[in-house]
Amino acid sequence: MKKHKSMYAIGTSVMGLSLAGVMLLGGPQDVQAKKPVSPAQAEQERQELLKAVLMGDALWHDGSLGTNGLACGNCHPDGSASNPHTWPKFQTNLGKVGTLREMINWCIMVPLEGKALPTESDKMIAMEAYATFMHDGVPIALGKDEQHGANPVAGGAGYQLPSGVTDLGAP
Amino acid sequence: MEKISRRNFLGMSVKATAATFVAGTFAPASNSFFGLAGIAEAATKKISPFTFAVITDAHLHDIKDHKFDRILERAVDDINKMNPAPDFVLYGGDLGQLAKPGELDKGKPILTRLKVPYRIIPGEHDWYLDLGKGWKDRFGTDHWSFDHKGVHFIGMNSILVDDYWTGRSLTPDERMGWCAELESHRCGAWGVGSEQLDWLEKDVAKLSPDTPVFIMTHSPLWDYYPRWNFQTRDAPEIRQILSKFDKVIAIHGHVHQVVYNSMGNMTSAGLLSTSWPWPYPNVQMPYPSIRMNRADPADIYDGLGGHKVTLAGDMGLGGTLNYQVWSDLLPANVQAGIKL
Ligand SMILES: [Fe+2]
Ligand SMILES: [Fe+2]
């Protein structure tokens, strides 16, 4: 035990992690892989994520992502029925177990008659971020074949952005 | 890869429903359903049965040979093949997508191909480019009433919002764009406004309470999901004005889906579009069994359709709405027709 403690003590000082109390308390719920980020850093990370969400929101409502004037938001208001909590799964139109990103591309190519995005592109990540954000807190239901509505939002309330972003400006 | 329909793949297909709308006649099965339920009762009532068709939400784009053109044309052709022909057709708004002249100029000739007269109201997608000027130039007044075979029909413009553009100096295109997004926190909640409420009050003032009333608006006359403007701000006032009648039947576009409600003396049904289906909002539905299946996004005709409404008797008896679809969209209870 002593030996372990000193090992952790070294770890703490070298890597800036806060694990000293872990062994003493013992419960797995107390295990922390690293020190929680400071509130300021957490807010910064949140802002970065929200930027991606907002970029995704713009893309989901962008009539020029495809060629026929349609936008994802036409058929998926608030990202509803994209069911981000169910992926990866077998999707009939993909004909295999695929990812949310592959399905996003399928919908760009078929309903929007457009060109697929590179799956690791900022745009694709933003589209995934938006859909997932609108279902934040919905339990994972891997492979579930259902239509799920986005989290309810009060009428006229805008997005539930906890970060002080209240007006998304012009589309 | 060979295309398999999702519902076939999942073994949920109800092939019996595939006959509806496809063969060019509106659902023979539905006709016989109404024949059984409606006509016998109608004999004792004062309205002899009649039928009309309803289509809505074509969302035509100002793009040549757009797929939505074909869908509206198909719906119009199917109505023209109805036998017997409907007495008239109602159109529930959102003929265009961004209220562009090119969209309305494309849509009007298609509607004019209808062999029977039609009446039309606007949706938000027809309106916010020029605040309805182009729409009114082509289609006339945005609210109206007429009497047909003892039923009083009313159409109203329910998509009027408070001015969100002047203060922000939005261009007409921006103004339209803000309202064209279903997530309508940018354009705000809409309604019919005080002028139309006054008009409605006068319009029905002389009618006796046993007059059957049928009202069409673009948006529902109840608070379904205000976030998507699945509401009409002054619906409570409208329902109040119409509360003196024994029975009021309301239908509405905008929701692009099967949905039903009843409040007091009013029953209300949502209409399918001829453009795209909308998913259900994440709220409790008043009548959860009256809904549609999920649509297959690989089939441009899935999730869409037209409607046949049959009214008979007095409104104590009511009518039947048959959703007319090109796919196996409807669960059996809805396919059988819903009571209005
Ligand atoms: Fe619509
Ligand atoms: Fe609409």
Side-chain angles (χ1 to χ4, degrees):
Chain A
M1 199 61 190
K2 260 204 168 92
K3 206 174 166 194
H4 278 99
K5 257 190 171 168
S6 65
M7 272 176 69
Y8 279 110
I10 291 165
T12 305
S13 65
V14 172
M15 293 156 61
L17 301 180
S18 157
L19 292 167
V22 167
M23 295 309 289
L24 295 175
L25 295 168
Q29 68 273 29
D30 300 310
V31 174
Q32 292 185 326
K34 58 174 184 161
K35 190 178 171 181
V37 296
S38 68
Q41 191 186 341
E43 180 54 22
Q44 218 177 7
E45 291 179 358
R46 182 82 185 153
Q47 288 301 331
E48 288 301 310
L49 175 62
L50 288 175
K51 272 191 226 160
V53 169
L54 291 180
M55 179 178 169
D57 169 59
L59 288 163
W60 276 75
H61 295 92
D62 184 351
S64 61
L65 199 57
T67 60
N68 55 18
L70 300 190
C72 315
N74 286 19
C75 305
H76 298 280
D78 287 325
S80 292
S82 62
N83 312 317
H85 61 301
T86 64
W87 298 88
K89 67 178 170 187
F90 188 98
Q91 217 287 349
T92 314
N93 293 303
L94 297 176
K96 63 169 187 120
V97 175
T99 62
L100 176 60
R101 294 187 193 184
E102 287 174 292
M103 190 62 200
I104 289 173
N105 266 337
W106 185 90
C107 266
I108 292 178
M109 291 185 290
V110 181
L112 266 56
E113 301 174 73
K115 249 182 68 188
L117 294 171
T119 40
E120 301 305 322
S121 59
D122 288 352
K123 283 187 175 180
M124 177 56 85
I125 293 166
M127 292 189 75
E128 184 185 60
Y130 168 78
T132 311
F133 181 87
M134 296 309 291
H135 293 76
D136 193 16
V138 177
I140 287 175
L142 189 67
K144 192 160 184 197
D145 191 47
E146 67 165 2
Q147 181 193 90
H148 202 287
N151 290 334
V153 182
Y159 290 80
Q160 289 171 320
L161 295 178
S163 61
V165 181
T166 50
D167 189 355
L168 295 171
Chain B
M1 153 195 161
E2 203 191 344
K3 184 187 156 295
I4 8 171
S5 115
R6 157 182 280 158
R7 281 191 293 275
N8 286 341
F9 178 75
L10 294 171
M12 294 197 293
S13 171
V14 190
K15 268 301 150 218
T17 64
T20 48
F21 225 142
V22 177
T25 53
F26 276 73
S30 317
N31 278 332
S32 61
F33 169 80
F34 188 79
L36 293 175
I39 294 171
E41 287 176 82
T44 60
K45 309 287 185 174
K46 63 181 180 184
I47 309 293
S48 51
F50 67 93
T51 295
F52 57 95
V54 189
I55 44 175
T56 189
D57 290 87
H59 290 268
L60 299 179
H61 283 55
D62 192 13
I63 294 175
K64 206 171 177 309
D65 297 327
H66 195 268
K67 57 183 167 184
F68 294 170
D69 305 354
R70 297 202 293 283
I71 304 171
L72 177 60
E73 284 166 354
R74 186 170 176 189
V76 165
D77 288 346
D78 282 0
I79 291 174
N80 283 339
K81 287 176 202 151
M82 277 173 77
N83 185 16
D87 287 11
F88 54 84
V89 177
L90 298 180
Y91 190 91
D94 283 353
L95 181 60
Q97 172 67 8
L98 298 170
K100 291 185 186 174
E103 298 164 4
L104 302 178
D105 283 339
K106 190 196 273 193
K108 190 171 177 184
I110 301 177
L111 293 180
T112 306
R113 273 166 40 187
L114 287 165
K115 289 181 184 156
V116 295
Y118 71 92
R119 296 305 298 259
I120 184 169
I121 54 166
E124 80 279 16
H125 287 267
D126 303 317
W127 205 258
Y128 283 96
L129 184 67
D130 57 5
L131 301 177
K133 185 177 182 309
W135 189 91
K136 283 187 192 160
D137 285 349
R138 288 167 184 81
F139 298 109
T141 175
D142 60 350
H143 58 285
W144 38 256
S145 68
F146 64 89
D147 294 297
H148 184 80
K149 296 185 176 169
V151 179
H152 188 67
F153 284 85
I154 299 168
M156 292 178 86
N157 176 357
S158 69
I159 53 86
L160 300 175
V161 299
D162 295 336
D163 184 339
Y164 57 86
W165 50 91
T166 307
R168 292 182 167 102
S169 310
L170 300 187
T171 66
D173 283 324
E174 285 169 341
R175 177 174 60 207
M176 183 66 248
W178 280 38
C179 226
E181 256 178 42
L182 190 66
E183 303 95 333
S184 48
H185 56 277
R186 288 189 177 107
C187 83
W190 60 44
V192 300
S194 55
E195 274 175 42
Q196 282 186 83
L197 285 177
D198 291 347
W199 170 85
L200 179 65
E201 205 150 13
K202 287 194 196 104
D203 183 72
V204 301
K206 292 204 189 85
L207 299 176
S208 65
D210 61 352
T211 311
V213 172
F214 190 100
I215 179 168
M216 175 173 70
T217 46
H218 185 62
S219 49
L221 293 180
W222 55 286
D223 265 12
Y224 176 13
Y225 193 52
R227 158 87 169 163
W228 297 349
N229 255 328
F230 285 12
Q231 63 88 42
T232 301
R233 208 159 46 173
D234 27 26
E237 286 85 346
I238 294 174
R239 295 203 306 266
Q240 174 60 35
I241 293 170
L242 299 179
S243 65
K244 70 169 185 174
F245 294 105
D246 295 342
K247 181 66 188 281
V248 178
I249 294 176
I251 57 166
H252 60 87
H254 188 61
V255 296
H256 300 207
Q257 63 183 220
V258 172
V259 64
Y260 178 83
N261 200 359
S262 84
M263 320 138 255
N265 64 338
M266 178 184 283
T267 55
S268 162
L271 302 170
L272 294 171
S273 77
T274 61
S275 50
W276 62 76
W278 258 322
Y280 287 100
N282 196 349
V283 293
Q284 181 72 41
M285 290 171 68
Y287 290 83
S289 68
I290 301 184
R291 59 183 292 148
M292 62 188 183
N293 296 325
R294 298 163 63 190
D296 181 350
D299 175 0
I300 69 164
Y301 292 102
D302 199 3
L304 316 178
H307 316 78
K308 184 183 76 169
V309 178
T310 310
L311 299 182
D314 66 17
M315 293 311 228
L317 173 62
T320 305
L321 169 65
N322 288 103
Y323 292 97
Q324 310 292 326
V325 297
W326 294 294
S327 62
D328 49 357
L329 179 72
L330 304 176
N333 63 318
V334 176
Q335 207 231 330
I338 63 171
K339 284 276 167 224
L340 291 174

